[in-house]
Amino acid sequence: MHARGGRGSIVSLLGDPGVRYGETLFDPAWLAARHIDLAPAREALQHCLASGCWEPPQG
């Protein structure tokens, strides 16, 4: 890409079973106590999967 004069991004996805996050990021009570609302990010991901277009989460 660079050799052609183009610009862009490279994205890598690494699998993580999330075992270490069971008492934090995967715990609704932990998230609520810290006023962390995952709904906007979840909706943005669902939109991206359905449309193929990414729009940053609102909120």
Side-chain angles (χ1 to χ4, degrees), residues 13 41-55:
L13 300 176
R42 187 177 293 119
E43 290 170 11
L45 283 172
Q46 289 171 339
H47 172 75
C48 181
L49 291 172
S51 70
C53 297
W54 173 254
E55 294 179 18

Side-chain angles (χ1 to χ4, degrees), residues 18-46:
V19 174
R20 297 174 292 179
Y21 316 114
E23 295 177 1
T24 56
L25 294 179
F26 294 146
D27 181 359
W30 186 90
L31 293 167
R34 287 155 180 79
H35 308 287
I36 298 173
D37 181 12
L38 297 180
R42 187 177 293 119
E43 290 170 11
L45 283 172
Q46 289 171 339

